[in-house]
Amino acid sequence: MNVIIKAENVDHWYGEDDNRTRALKDISLEIDEGSFVAVLGHNGSGKSTLAKHFNAILTPELGKIYVAGMDTSDKDLVIDIRRTVGMVFQNPDNQIVASVVEDDVAFGPENIGMEQSQIRPRVDAALMSVGMYEMREHAPHMLSGGQKQRVAIAGVIAMRPRCIVLDEPTAMLDPSGRREVINTIHRLNRDYGITIILITHHMNETVGADRLIVMSDGEIIADGSPKSVFTRVDMLRRAGLSVPDTTQLIYLLRQEGFDLPLDALTVDECAAAIYKKFA
Amino acid sequence: MFKDITMGQYFPGNTLIHRLDPRTKLVLTLLYIIVLFLAKGIWSYAVMLAFLSVCVILSRIKLSVLLSGAKPIVFIIIITGILNLFYTKGEHLLFRVWRISVYLEGLQTAGFLILRILLLICCTLLLTYTTSPLQLTDAMEALLNPLKKLRFPVHELSMMMSIALRFIPTLIKETDKIMSAQKARGADFETGSLRQRAKALLPLLIPLFVGAFRRADELATAMESRCYHGGEGRTKMKQLRMAAADWAALVSGAALTVAVVLLRRAG
Amino acid sequence: MAPVIQTVNLTHVYSPGTPFEQTAVDNVDFAAERGEFIGIIGHTGSGKSTFIQHLNGLLKPSSGRVLFNGEDIFASKQKTRETRFKVGLVFQYPEYQLFEETVYRDIAFGPKNMGLSDEEIDRRVRDAAGFVDISEDQFEKSPFDLSGGQKRRVAIAGVIAMKPDVLILDEPTAGLDPMGREEIIGNIVRYHNSGENTVIFITHSMEDIARIAGRLVVFSKGRIFMDGTPKEVFSRAEDLRSVGLDVPDITLVMMKLKKLGLPVDDSVYTVEQAKAELLKLKGRGKDV
């Protein structure tokens, strides 16, 4: 498979001289094009810092990041890198630039100097792909949090990126907004083959991912399928994370001596596994 | 308390006036204001009044809505009117009360002045009522474009304006929220001396500014990550286009100018 | 004795008489007793945030009354102001309202506005900081230098320092990671257990609220849609879903098991309760 993002021994520090903290410690990883990768970690685990390296908002102090083969520390490539990897941020209010939904979606294409006649079809298609076409003439401040985030996603989609990095896009949303956003990015991954990197601290959002990376104190402490990672309940706890309630229930029952599979993540899987043992 | 302020004062519609290119409307408004200061005598004012009336009728903005926009300065209008009425000396004395004499010329000057101020306000209001703030910003950028050659930051200025417009509702909401939160801790914004009240604003202003800077910072990052790198090489989805109606409007504006200048000579 | 806080036919209409007219709170009767821990749930726009701003007099009802200890809080300006201190309200993302130069002074802002003596203010600041695990060596720091979770705890302390009889918190755990959520929930439970105060906790997280509240009030379309113990509320999973709310995953698992034919109680909502139910099936229920 094609590798879209590659990190080689990346180190990053925050702060001034005496007060420096090492936010990323020797991170190496490869992300396959077309995959859905979730990055999980508590606040300050370095997950957002890592995400900002993926489209050259930050560049590594040591090591290298390659986006589709392009070195992110090469200043001349910045625009190309950002066209390849789009980014959606936590606060929906602080990333929408224009006073009209469709104008905001056009912002990216306008920046890269796209020909005028091409912008409109791109914007319309992007709005349709996130289900916001009907609201294209609305003012952003009249939208719900989930809708604003979908507009932000459309703004990235309009540039036809190969990868979208979402930095805690649901942290400020209510449950229905959260569902809207998660469903949208799954659909983009499935229907358009766009690589998704979802940074989050909600366990439940990682369940549908192809791959789950867990970060703690600037290091990757687990990397694998969500099923394999969630079986390591103790390790997740030590990293300041909780496991889904379903996993927790199975974990407790295992301690009571019942041989249940820890990788039963969804409600249905969990119920089915328990039923087998308790019926 | 801030919820009642309607920003931009734009009334969406699809009339001939609404559909005009914002550049046309901006130029015509400026032209109208200039001509207004050239007007002299009853006939030129009549032409000015007629011209604006036709525009207002075409825009389907209710006269009451338009005039209510002039409310905040009614006081100024009345004062100017009175001052002109009493302090203009002339030949035809109308009446005299105590030491104040009112002349026919005073009455005329005051009348024209009030009419002039009213027309001035109404034509600007008509512009903002029928043109969205965003269109206005675009028009301004387009009209100022030649100044780019003189290294005047036209693009930056219009980007600043449109971002300001985008964030005004957000900041109003935030102000409301912080105000409520501090009131919940017993802050009192409504009573006390001027000094006390100014001091009471700190718990509101500090978080507001801290918040605005945080927003600005995040917005800058988000814009950069969407490939923003200044105005150079930028295209626009919505290009402004002049239609036949725009040219017709500009011609009628020119006709108005000529008419007023001629009437001024005649009058 | 009258309930500590009560609303009678409370209605709030935004922008009355305009095309934007909207009834946010519609004829709500609600009463909270001393010492209760109440969870309020409802999706965005259900009117719950508008509702709670009436309880300390920040919003005036369009019609209806709000009673604190049986007395109308809008009877006089003086009364409304007193209620502000007795019914403490912590807004969403309260860290954005911090403004003082030091943590200590920010926590002291409320008590100072109450006109208390310096000694009393000092005692209250220290007590309040204790509840939210802010240590004394952080008192002289700027609140803007703290971490996100600490900032929020300082903001909550600023309200606790007024020693309100009723403490209302609007989504105090929003945007925090699991550890941050646990800390804040722990702080609030500790405060609740420290005296005869009433806590009203607004949240979207069923899992969080089910563990700590003795009573849940569900808002929908400006009205109270359900009111009862967590067990009662979660046993009506279908109704909850019909107003756009989630049911805890554990409840869903138990409902599924019951459907499959296991004789379990499907209104349980915590992992521990579910474990106990399942162990009972195997005849091992006594030790839990």
Side-chain angles (χ1 to χ4, degrees), chain A residues 183-240:
Chain A
N183 290 344
T184 304
I185 57 178
H186 272 288
R187 201 171 54 243
L188 292 173
N189 176 249
R190 207 173 47 233
D191 298 351
Y192 301 86
I194 297 173
T195 313
I196 301 283
I197 301 177
L198 172 66
I199 316 285
T200 182
H201 54 234
H202 287 287
M203 317 297 134
N204 300 343
E205 292 173 1
T206 66
V207 170
D210 301 321
R211 178 175 167 195
L212 174 57
I213 295 172
V214 182
M215 291 194 65
S216 181
D217 296 320
E219 288 175 287
I220 293 175
I221 57 165
D223 186 350
S225 71
K227 280 182 192 259
S228 70
V229 172
F230 278 131
T231 57
R232 298 165 64 189
V233 176
D234 294 322
M235 177 275 298
L236 289 169
R237 285 253 181 77
R238 275 199 304 279

Side-chain angles (χ1 to χ4, degrees), chain C residues 69-228:
Chain C
N69 283 333
E71 290 177 54
D72 195 324
I73 69 167
F74 295 105
S76 67
K77 269 206 159 155
Q78 183 60 26
K79 194 91 205 157
T80 313
R81 192 168 159 75
E82 274 169 27
T83 313
R84 295 266 159 87
F85 302 122
K86 286 176 178 156
V87 181
L89 177 52
V90 180
F91 277 81
Q92 233 184 80
Y93 298 102
E95 58 272 29
Y96 295 147
Q97 77 205 33
L98 298 174
F99 73 98
E100 273 287 9
E101 284 163 47
T102 67
V103 167
Y104 182 94
R105 288 175 60 171
D106 210 290
I107 301 177
F109 181 65
K112 229 181 222 163
N113 286 329
M114 296 169 80
L116 300 171
S117 68
D118 285 350
E119 299 90 76
E120 179 62 18
I121 292 175
D122 187 64
R123 191 158 55 236
R124 287 186 172 209
V125 171
R126 283 169 206 282
D127 282 355
F131 280 120
V132 297
D133 296 320
I134 293 294
S135 58
E136 297 200 2
D137 55 304
Q138 286 167 311
F139 280 179
E140 293 310 310
K141 277 193 187 167
S142 160
F144 299 107
D145 289 339
L146 303 177
S147 77
Q150 285 173 328
K151 273 187 207 165
R152 186 168 301 182
R153 299 205 309 267
V154 168
I156 293 175
V159 175
I160 288 181
M162 303 191 301
K163 284 203 179 156
D165 293 335
V166 182
L167 177 65
I168 307 172
L169 305 107
D170 192 354
E171 292 194 52
T173 60
L176 295 178
D177 66 359
M179 226 160 30
R181 280 212 299 273
E182 281 308 314
E183 278 168 0
I184 295 232
I185 289 177
N187 293 158
I188 293 164
V189 169
R190 188 196 300 165
Y191 174 70
H192 181 242
N193 292 338
S194 72
E196 261 288 86
N197 57 58
T198 305
V199 173
I200 298 177
F201 190 113
I202 296 192
T203 183
H204 286 304
S205 168
M206 296 293 176
E207 270 89 0
D208 282 351
I209 197 65
R211 289 195 338 248
I212 51 174
R215 173 177 162 203
L216 292 186
V217 175
V218 182
F219 266 77
S220 177
K221 292 178 189 153
R223 291 166 181 259
I224 291 180
F225 179 70
M226 282 190 220
D227 187 346

Side-chain angles (χ1 to χ4, degrees), chain A residues 97-122:
Chain A
V97 187
S99 313
V100 179
V101 166
E102 60 178 11
D103 291 355
D104 186 73
V105 177
F107 182 71
E110 289 174 345
N111 286 335
I112 55 179
M114 193 180 287
E115 202 160 319
Q116 199 206 342
S117 60
Q118 287 178 13
I119 301 180
R120 169 60 67 182
R122 284 260 186 130

Side-chain angles (χ1 to χ4, degrees), chain B residues 19-252:
Chain B
R19 283 196 307 267
L20 281 180
D21 189 293
R23 287 172 297 181
T24 309
K25 284 189 269 188
L26 194 59
V27 167
L28 272 183
T29 309
L30 290 174
L31 185 69
Y32 188 86
I33 292 171
I34 293 167
V35 176
L36 197 53
F37 283 95
L38 295 176
K40 204 170 151 193
I42 187 128
W43 289 111
S44 54
Y45 273 103
V47 171
M48 292 303 285
L49 183 63
F51 188 86
L52 192 64
S53 303
V54 170
C55 293
V56 172
I57 290 165
L58 285 175
S59 75
R60 297 210 189 119
I61 300 275
K62 281 198 198 102
L63 191 63
S64 59
V65 174
L66 202 60
L67 287 177
S68 74
K71 249 187 221 158
I73 56 154
V74 162
F75 184 68
I76 298 177
I77 297 179
I78 292 174
I79 292 287
T80 0
I82 290 176
L83 285 180
N84 275 283
L85 190 61
F86 294 157
Y87 285 94
T88 312
K89 303 263 183 287
E91 286 163 10
H92 306 84
L93 184 67
L94 287 180
F95 57 87
R96 194 183 178 107
V97 182
W98 187 46
R99 278 210 249 154
I100 299 164
S101 356
V102 172
Y103 296 89
L104 179 65
E105 287 81 357
L107 194 62
Q108 276 176 350
T109 321
F112 284 142
L113 203 72
I114 289 174
L115 187 62
R116 181 180 282 178
I117 297 176
L118 274 179
L119 288 176
L120 184 77
I121 291 163
C122 287
C123 81
T124 357
L125 285 177
L126 187 66
L127 175 71
T128 57
Y129 283 0
T130 60
T131 322
S132 76
L134 210 66
Q135 281 181 311
L136 270 182
T137 317
D138 277 353
M140 233 175 276
E141 185 180 2
L143 291 173
L144 291 176
N145 216 18
L147 291 181
K148 266 187 191 161
K149 293 214 176 73
L150 302 173
R151 304 220 161 182
F152 188 75
V154 176
H155 166 77
E156 285 73 13
L157 212 63
S158 81
M159 184 54 92
M160 270 161 56
M161 274 181 62
S162 63
I163 287 177
L165 288 171
R166 148 77 184 86
F167 277 92
I168 283 169
T170 311
L171 289 178
I172 288 177
K173 224 192 241 172
E174 186 148 301
T175 309
D176 241 7
K177 217 198 101 177
I178 296 173
M179 217 161 175
S180 301
Q182 306 298 28
K183 272 193 201 161
R185 292 205 279 166
D188 186 353
F189 297 107
E190 277 131 33
T191 55
S193 67
L194 202 63
R195 223 185 110 101
Q196 282 170 323
R197 277 202 219 189
K199 219 181 142 200
L201 280 180
L202 282 183
L204 172 64
L205 292 178
I206 292 172
L208 200 60
F209 275 97
V210 171
F213 282 122
R214 180 174 38 82
R215 277 182 201 285
D217 200 38
E218 287 181 23
L219 186 70
T221 308
M223 284 170 69
E224 257 186 64
S225 82
R226 288 168 73 184
C227 299
Y228 182 69
H229 54 282
E232 212 173 307
R234 229 174 157 261
T235 48
K236 286 210 142 184
M237 174 169 75
K238 291 176 180 164
Q239 206 89 51
L240 298 174
R241 258 197 208 97
M242 298 288 281
D246 291 302
W247 297 114
L250 288 176
V251 169
S252 67

Side-chain angles (χ1 to χ4, degrees), chain A residues 42-43 174 179 201 245 256, chain C residues 44 176-177 207 246 284:
Chain A
H42 60 84
N43 285 350
D174 64 4
R179 262 195 305 272
H201 54 234
D245 276 356
E256 294 292 327
Chain C
T44 312
L176 295 178
D177 66 359
E207 270 89 0
D246 287 329
R284 288 169 51 186

